[in-house]
Amino acid sequence: MRIDCPFCGSREIVEFSYLGDAGVQRPAPDAGSVFTDYVYLRDNVAGRHREYWYHGSGCHSWLVVERDTRSHEIFSVDYAHRETVR
Amino acid sequence: MSGRRLASGGLINRAAPVRFAFDGRDFAGFAGDTVASALLANGVGLVGRSFKYHRPRGVFSAGPEEPNALVELRNGTRREPNTKATTAELFAGLVARSQNRWPSLAFDVLAINQLASPIFVAGFYYKTFMWPAVLWEKLYEPLIRRAAGLGKASVETDPDSYEKATAFCDVLVIGSGPAGLMAALTAGRAGARVIVAEEDFPLGGRLLAETYEIDGMPGAAWTAGVEAELRALPNVRIMRRTVVFGVYDGGTYGALERVSDHLAVPPPHQPRQRLWKLVAKRTVLAAGAIERPVVFGGNDRPGVMLASAVRSYANRFGVAAGERIAVFTTGDDGWRTAGDLLAQGVTVAAVIDPRTEVAPAVRALAGGAEVYLGAMVRDAHGAHGLRRIDVVRADGSSVSIAADVLAVSGGWNPTASLATHHGARTEWSDTKLAFLPGKTPPGLAVAGAAAGNFTTAEALADGVRLGNEAAVALGFTATSIAAIRTSDESFAVAPLFHVAAARTKAFVDLQNDVTVKDIALAEREGFRSVEHLKRYTTLGMATDQGKTSNVNGLAIMAELTGRSIPETGSTRSRPPHVPVAIGAFAGLHKGLDFKPTRLPASHGWAVARGAVFVETGQWLRAQWYPQPGETDWLTSVTREVKAVRGGAGICDVSTLGKIALEGPDVGAFLDRVYANMFSTLPVGRARYGLMLREDGIVMDDGTTARLADERFVMSTTTINAGKVMQHLEFCHQVLWPELDLDMVSVTEQWAQFAVAGPSSRQLLQTLFGPGVDLSDAAVPYMAARELQLDSIPARLFRLSFSGELAYEIAVPARFGAALAGALVTAGAGLGVVPYGTEALGVMRVEKGHVAGNELNGTSTAGDLGLGRMLSSKKDFIGRTMAARPGLVDPARPALVGLRPVDRAQRLRAGAHFLARDAKAEAANDAGYMTSVVFSPELGHWIGLGLLANGPQRHGEIIRAYDALRGEDIAVEVVPPVHVDPEGVRLRG
Ligand SMILES: [Zn+2]
């Protein structure tokens, strides 16, 4: 698998590490059980999935990659901070 | 079967004879031979014994599909079993041995397995010998392993090296037959960057093995012309001896280049093999096709060969595979074998074709040889080599024909497995009588015989079309290629997969000895799905992956179940397409090079002082520095600790992670990632910080100093440096991108030394000279200063891990070794010693500081006695979850100090805590000993541990139970700080 890093260009998967679902939002402090869900619960999606990847062996950017978990087809890659601001 | 070298012809170099040995006998071949062609040229027909039944086997094919002719190649450390004689290039001094025979190839005791064949039927390892289990382990399995073998691996260390490399291209062309050559030429002429990967040692594919002409030239000559043009194109790279074995995501292809396998030993500085990642925007798969056999009785006898292989040996290698060669073909293509043999003066015993009619031009290829139309070969006979075949006609009458080779052709199977590596399946074509690629991996198109377009004209046209399509898709301009004249061969073929009338054992999978009867048994027992059939009978599961057996096997299953071939389905092919040595996947990552080794700047200095080293993550750190006369580590470590506590010592602590943070919002950011407060840290001061994970567990600790209003430097533990960096970047980029700061790892930019001991200030004063004020007022405990050492920028922190008056001094990494020397010089009169990680560890345990053993991924701040550090004035990572009832339960194991009641006894890390009278079982487990050291200060062993209700149990006597070492000793629970609990010394 290769990821088209917006800063570095197309790079091999070994340069990146994976974190998981980019759809989760860090809740407000003391949000109770919502916080437990944020830390522990993730959907196991078969299909299109927006997820965090870290270009640790490259520019150190955190990226949001939209990927089909079945085919590894990648539909989009963007900086995570841009996604957060949006 | 008695093959011989033909008087002329072939692409071998008859001027370059090559000596080699097989089973201890010397033979001669020529440069350009494979082991198989050279053996056939020497009349060697019997080359191995089969896997289960130890039946005699000969060369079956002329390529990578070979199921039979597997040999042990080379000697000693380079011995490699299961090498295909059909692809192994001959070199001078080559040594090969047959496999699976004992005591000799001609007389094999275990051939008696044939008599026991009912035991070895399909599913034998599922139902035979299942009970009693003890006999399976002790008796049956060793017996079967000895009987059913695939050669012996060298158990010695592989003396060769392997490499990995990556190459990028616009268009990858897999295969260099007519389709591949034209695809490469069109894309190359258009200007695309092209890589041509060819498994064989010359380019040309089937063109090398056929006699028909292209543009009025023999195939090999035409190939040479195209190759010359490709080589002249700077944008084209030709990779011979390179097999593409897998298609991966993102246009990545795995390929293995056999760099030195055609040589006796690899040349100096060359690897044996090189594993390639080929990254291509477009790919043309032109891997050709593999001829399909027909299954009949005794079809495994040495001398029964693929018709195309017989042609390859005659045309490419100048070898007649036998003296009297019969041809059994279900299509037009097999007749060409008869034609080519007759042209070379080889006797063709008969041509047998189940079709009742063939085109006159095809019929003419048999010349004056006997022709049996509407007939089939029922059985082949001959103990160690083919002697005769039984041919049965449509009316049921039969005739026996003498022959030493039978060339068999049942049509062609496209080599399209690479096209199915992304989960797609091939589709059966009733017109081509073959599985053709359907949906293909992204960017991959299939050309020529691999797509079922078997004629040369079709292959050439496919290559031009797909080469241009690939180039145009990438923005290049299409090139036109003048029409190529080819002889027009026909490929009509009739469906015949096996001869049901066979009277003797008929083999479907030659390598795994799977017979038609095995498939019938699987069908009767309900294993009808192809995936079940495969696993139950092991059909197609040998190292050849069923390249010559899968289609026949499932066609037979289709017939048995009354279904069509598409209804029966096909198994999925997975990478690797051909076996790849583990060594190639490992590449250079073996032994000490398995992972990178990081060396601190003072490494060479420490080596010169005789240090003993220890791996901490990727780092190699000095563990202790033995002095002359010291023979055990404890003596050295104890001396180092005493020297530090009595005077001064220096220790390289550069491996700790260092992260520089700059910007107006660093303080606010640190407040959110550390559990304690940092925005209030004054400039010129450092503070110990505790970092939690979002789930409330402690992640890391270290000190962070504020060097200027908007400039901080953080330290992390050695092990977690990368993890913390990644975490901080996540927090900044994902959680709080609105905070204005930047950060960068500077671990490798600064060399840092701890200078510890009551004389440390004096030492540093000598180093810096009288112009620098190092007094307690100027550099108090937890101060952080930037200053100059000569003209070098330096940082001085007053930090103490040892509990003594201590500092850490940092300089740019290139001055690290010089600083180590300068520190020792400056401390010469103060009894300074270098100390290693062991002494560092002893002093931190004496002081009750937690480290990696206690920060074990399950401990909370409270568990470590650091609960008061969790700020209640702000939010921070982990705050919410750290408040969960389970994480604040006072009964959780928490940090305590431990001493043996009998001071002479040694403590053991990992020992579990039990109440004095508790039974040693898991239910009574009260925690465990995390760290133990011998304390020179106290003169006995001390420990740290995590004990349930620990802080309330100071003074209690409990047991430290070590089941692994059989020790069970009484220990006293004490506060974690064993030495100088008031902290008087570090403020000295
Ligand atoms: Zn990047």
Side-chain angles (χ1 to χ4, degrees), chain B residues 306-491:
Chain B
L306 291 173
S308 60
V310 173
R311 218 147 72 222
S312 290
Y313 289 116
N315 296 328
R316 175 172 166 182
F317 298 101
V319 171
E323 287 298 332
R324 276 180 58 82
I325 300 181
V327 177
F328 175 28
T329 180
T330 68
D332 296 349
D333 192 51
W335 292 75
R336 271 191 287 282
T337 300
D340 288 359
L341 291 172
L342 289 171
Q344 299 265 25
V346 180
T347 304
V348 173
V351 179
I352 302 109
D353 192 324
R355 297 176 297 175
T356 49
E357 280 180 41
V358 297
V362 172
R363 173 69 179 76
L365 289 167
E370 270 193 277
V371 169
Y372 296 84
L373 293 181
M376 306 178 197
V377 175
R378 188 184 62 204
D379 292 283
H381 304 283
H384 284 175
L386 186 67
R387 290 182 177 280
R388 62 183 174 85
I389 53 174
D390 295 336
V391 173
V392 57
R393 300 190 189 88
D395 63 6
S397 64
S398 65
V399 57
S400 186
I401 299 170
D404 63 348
V405 165
L406 177 63
V408 181
S409 177
W412 289 80
N413 294 326
T415 306
S417 71
L418 289 176
T420 67
H421 277 188
H422 266 243
R425 286 186 188 260
T426 50
E427 292 161 10
W428 179 256
S429 162
D430 274 327
T431 51
K432 305 273 189 185
L433 290 181
F435 282 101
L436 305 183
K439 183 174 172 281
T440 56
L444 182 142
V446 191
N453 301 324
F454 296 118
T455 70
T456 310
E458 286 175 310
L460 292 165
D462 266 10
V464 172
R465 179 174 58 85
L466 295 176
N468 264 328
E469 273 182 24
V472 169
L474 299 173
F476 299 95
T477 309
T479 50
S480 65
I481 297 252
I484 305 162
R485 285 176 295 115
T486 56
S487 19
D488 53 337
E489 70 272 28
S490 59
F491 260 86

Side-chain angles (χ1 to χ4, degrees), chain A residues 1-2 12 14 17 19 26 29-31 35-36 38-40 52 54 60-62 71-72 80-81 84-85, chain B residues 168 249-250 252 277 279 422 694-695 725-726 729-730 733-737 875-881 884:
Chain A
M1 204 169 113
R2 298 181 68 82
E12 202 190 332
V14 296
S17 45
L19 189 68
R26 188 170 190 266
D30 307 314
F35 226 106
T36 308
Y38 166 69
V39 172
Y40 292 113
Y52 289 124
Y54 173 63
H60 283 210
S61 290
W62 276 95
S71 67
H72 294 182
H81 66 76
T84 310
V85 170
Chain B
F168 298 82
D249 300 303
T252 304
K277 279 179 188 162
V279 183
H422 266 243
E694 194 68 279
D695 65 359
M725 187 72 201
Q726 178 173 346
E729 280 170 329
F730 179 82
Q733 295 178 34
V734 178
L735 299 182
W736 309 303
D875 185 36
F876 55 87
I877 295 281
R879 188 180 81 95
T880 303
M881 297 297 274
R884 285 181 286 168

Side-chain angles (χ1 to χ4, degrees), chain A residues 20-26 37-38 41-42 50 52, chain B residues 730 734-735:
Chain A
D21 191 353
V24 294
Q25 286 278 329
R26 188 170 190 266
D37 293 355
Y38 166 69
L41 290 186
R42 295 292 183 274
R50 292 178 67 254
Y52 289 124
Chain B
F730 179 82
V734 178
L735 299 182

Side-chain angles (χ1 to χ4, degrees), chain B residues 89-129:
Chain B
E89 283 176 64
L90 203 63
F91 56 82
L94 177 146
V95 176
R97 277 170 309 279
S98 55
Q99 301 185 156
N100 299 353
R101 68 344 186 231
W102 185 82
S104 76
L105 185 54
F107 176 76
D108 185 312
V109 169
L110 289 168
I112 201 163
N113 279 0
Q114 290 185 70
L115 304 177
S117 63
I119 289 172
F120 285 99
V121 293
F124 76 93
Y125 35 55
Y126 300 116
K127 56 193 180 193
T128 312
F129 310 137

